[in-house]
């Protein structure tokens, strides 16, 4: 049975937990699932989302050549096998050896030259991109009191009652409008787009 796709947009519901890491929020969902809570009612919403680019440093000409040569080895192996099938009169080992050496050198030199020419434009710095959030909010669309009670029991404290109609406070303002962006198809007066342009 296929799983239903989540509805688009910011999830609405009652905040039942706030966590400093995604792993802690996932552990809370796992705990609720172990205690027969209907987890299809939950959403984990990241707040304060950041895109982080970590510098991996400059790879250098040597690393560029090695990267190109390793690609050339595979290309040479494939080319050698094809040439060996086309010309069965020559020994396969000779064809494979020559094609691997020639293509490894050629691709290595081309990759090194490409890196050296493009280095002045990009600075040659390699980045790793990751997306993180400052906090993770666990939102329940229904059965929120049950989730609050279970999570309080997990933390070893008395459950705090939640207002039955309280929206996720970090995602909506006092008028019920989203703080970030706008809802798709929302053309009512006072939407975020109109408030920004005022």
């Amino acid at each position: 049975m296929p799983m239903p796709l989540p509805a688009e947009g910011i999830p609405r519901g009652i905040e039942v937990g706030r966590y400093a890491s995604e792993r802690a929020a996932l552990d809370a969902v796992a705990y609720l699932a172990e205690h027969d809570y209907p987890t299809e009612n939950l959403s984990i919403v990241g707040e304060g989302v950041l895109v982080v680019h970590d510098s991996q440093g400059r790879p250098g000409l040597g690393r560029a050549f090695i990267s190109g040569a390793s690609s050339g080895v595979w290309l040479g192996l494939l080319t050698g096998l094809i040439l060996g099938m086309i010309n069965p009169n020559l020994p396969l080992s000779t064809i494979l050896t020559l094609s691997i050496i020639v293509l490894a050198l050629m691709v290595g030199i081309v990759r090194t030259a490409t890196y050296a020419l493009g280095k002045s434009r990009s600075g040659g710095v390699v980045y790793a991109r990751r997306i993180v959030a400052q906090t993770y909010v666990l939102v329940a669309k229904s059965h929120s009191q049950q989730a609050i009670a279970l999570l309080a029991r997990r933390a070893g404290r008395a459950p705090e009652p939640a207002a039955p109609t309280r929206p996720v406070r970090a995602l909506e303002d006092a008028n019920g409008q989203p703080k970030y962006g706008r809802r798709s198809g929302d053309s009512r007066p006072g939407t975020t787009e109109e408030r920004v342009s005022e």
Side-chain angles (χ1 to χ4, degrees), residues 85-108:
M85 288 188 291
I86 292 173
N87 191 359
N89 297 334
L90 294 174
L92 184 61
S93 61
T94 305
I95 293 174
L96 284 175
T97 304
L98 286 175
S99 61
I100 288 173
I101 291 172
V102 168
L103 283 171
L105 287 173
M106 285 176 53
V107 175

Side-chain angles (χ1 to χ4, degrees), residues 142-168:
S142 63
H143 302 88
S144 59
Q145 294 299 332
Q146 179 186 0
I148 291 170
L150 283 168
L151 292 172
R153 186 171 75 191
R154 177 180 183 231
R157 57 180 168 71
E160 300 170 10
T165 58
R166 179 177 61 137
V168 177

